């Protein structure tokens, strides 16, 4: 079974722009969570989607948003990018909410 | 919200020795505790997890123990090998929370495990 995939793998943007990242979960998995990883803050939870609905949200500003499609694929969007948004963005899929989460390879976002 | 503390931040052990990484959590509602291994430039990989109705779980050279009263859990790696070198993260969440859903994982800051040959 194929693992979690994320596109693009690398992205360079400038301050003020917006960006959309994509995540395809493991086949059959219905829950997708998003995390931000930085050297200073570590791994931080952004939000979780299940059945096309955001079920849980971490402590991030409203510039960070997401959505999930009927095939369980998910996208996250960051608007008005700031330098501090430079990070590795990881998505993780699980069969249902509350099950083991399996991570994708991440998207490395650099904001200049 | 939940807060997870992880120690030590760096751990260097001789090949063949054991390694222990400890985590404490703050939210007594947390009931799921996974451990992830992340090699340089790679994705975090789930290596073992434990739920609050279990005190200990083993998988070959890896074991996790949970003390709910003290709110701490530990990862034990025996007979360490060079391929065990990586950053290890503990995490905690509540499955399920009062709203009928699961909380996102709250991670510790990570432990850089170095296996000396």
């Amino acid at each position: 079974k194929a693992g979690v995939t994320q596109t693009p793998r690398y992205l360079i943007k400038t301050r003020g722009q917006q960006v959309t990242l994509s995540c395809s979960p493991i086949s059959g998995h219905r829950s997708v969570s998003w995390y931000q990883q930085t050297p200073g803050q570590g791994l931080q939870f952004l939000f979780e989607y299940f059945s096309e609905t955001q079920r849980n949200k971490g402590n991030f500003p409203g510039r960070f948003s997401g959505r999930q499609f009927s095939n369980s694929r998910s996208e996250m969007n960051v608007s008005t990018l700031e330098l501090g948004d430079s990070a590795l963005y990881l998505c993780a899929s699980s069969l249902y909410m509350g099950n083991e989460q399996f991570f994708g390879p991440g998207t490395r976002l650099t904001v200049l | 919200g939940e807060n997870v503390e992880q120690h030590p931040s760096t751990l260097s052990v001789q090949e063949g020795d054991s390694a222990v990484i400890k985590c404490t959590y703050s939210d007594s509602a947390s009931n799921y505790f996974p451990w992830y291994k992340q090699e340089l430039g790679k994705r975090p990989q789930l290596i073992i997890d434990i739920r609050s109705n279990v005190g200990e779980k083993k998988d070959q050279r890896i074991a996790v123990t949970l003390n709910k009263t003290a709110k701490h859990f530990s990862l034990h790696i025996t007979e360490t090998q060079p391929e065990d070198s990586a950053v290890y993260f503990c995490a905690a969440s509540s499955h399920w929370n009062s709203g009928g859903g699961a909380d996102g994982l709250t991670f510790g800051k990570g432990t850089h495990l170095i296996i000396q040959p």
Side-chain angles (χ1 to χ4, degrees):
Chain A
K1 197 180 270 191
V4 180
T5 59
Q6 292 185 245
T7 57
R9 294 293 312 279
Y10 302 92
L11 208 47
I12 299 175
K13 292 285 188 179
T14 56
R15 280 189 309 169
Q17 288 187 308
Q18 73 165 18
V19 67
T20 299
L21 312 181
S22 181
C23 172
S24 292
I26 293 170
S27 177
H29 283 196
R30 295 174 58 189
S31 176
V32 174
S33 298
W34 287 89
Y35 295 86
Q36 181 195 65
Q37 186 173 28
T38 59
Q41 298 300 316
L43 276 156
Q44 293 185 287
F45 171 70
L46 280 154
F47 28 65
E48 180 173 18
Y49 285 86
F50 180 78
S51 291
E52 302 176 63
T53 302
Q54 188 181 93
R55 302 291 178 160
N56 205 358
K57 190 177 189 308
N59 190 24
F60 277 82
R63 301 185 296 108
F64 292 82
S65 62
R67 59 178 176 168
Q68 186 180 35
F69 302 95
S70 57
N71 61 358
S72 295
R73 190 178 69 85
S74 177
E75 290 181 347
M76 67 164 281
N77 184 277
V78 188
S79 62
T80 320
L81 284 166
E82 301 177 359
L83 296 178
D85 296 334
S86 293
L88 180 67
Y89 290 89
L90 293 157
C91 78
S93 79
S94 57
L95 199 58
Y96 295 102
M97 292 177 63
N99 288 103
E100 295 84 353
Q101 295 186 24
F102 298 93
F103 281 86
T107 294
R108 173 75 62 187
L109 173 64
T110 302
V111 182
L112 303 176
Chain B
E2 176 64 277
N3 182 52
V4 177
E5 300 281 344
Q6 183 172 348
H7 300 281
S9 57
T10 304
L11 178 60
S12 181
V13 301
Q14 290 294 122
E15 183 178 347
D17 287 350
S18 295
V20 180
I21 302 170
K22 299 182 179 182
C23 290
T24 59
Y25 61 98
S26 61
D27 189 350
S28 57
S30 288
N31 51 24
Y32 175 63
F33 308 93
W35 286 87
Y36 286 86
K37 173 184 179 182
Q38 188 175 30
E39 296 175 73
L40 190 62
K42 297 193 175 181
R43 71 189 75 188
Q45 287 189 297
L46 179 68
I47 56 171
I48 195 167
D49 58 10
I50 192 168
R51 299 185 187 269
S52 59
N53 58 344
V54 175
E56 183 176 2
K57 184 176 178 181
K58 285 184 180 180
D59 183 3
Q60 299 183 336
R61 297 186 296 109
I62 294 173
V64 57
T65 58
L66 171 65
N67 183 326
K68 286 195 313 181
T69 303
K71 288 193 237 168
H72 68 70
F73 55 114
S74 301
L75 178 70
H76 305 252
I77 305 174
T78 59
E79 299 172 12
T80 53
Q81 300 169 4
E83 53 265 36
D84 294 331
S85 294
V87 178
Y88 291 80
F89 293 94
C90 63
S93 76
S94 172
H95 291 178
W96 300 80
N97 60 29
S98 59
D103 294 337
L105 293 172
T106 300
F107 283 87
K109 293 292 189 189
T111 295
H112 186 191
L113 178 61
I114 301 166
I115 308 300
Q116 302 279 9

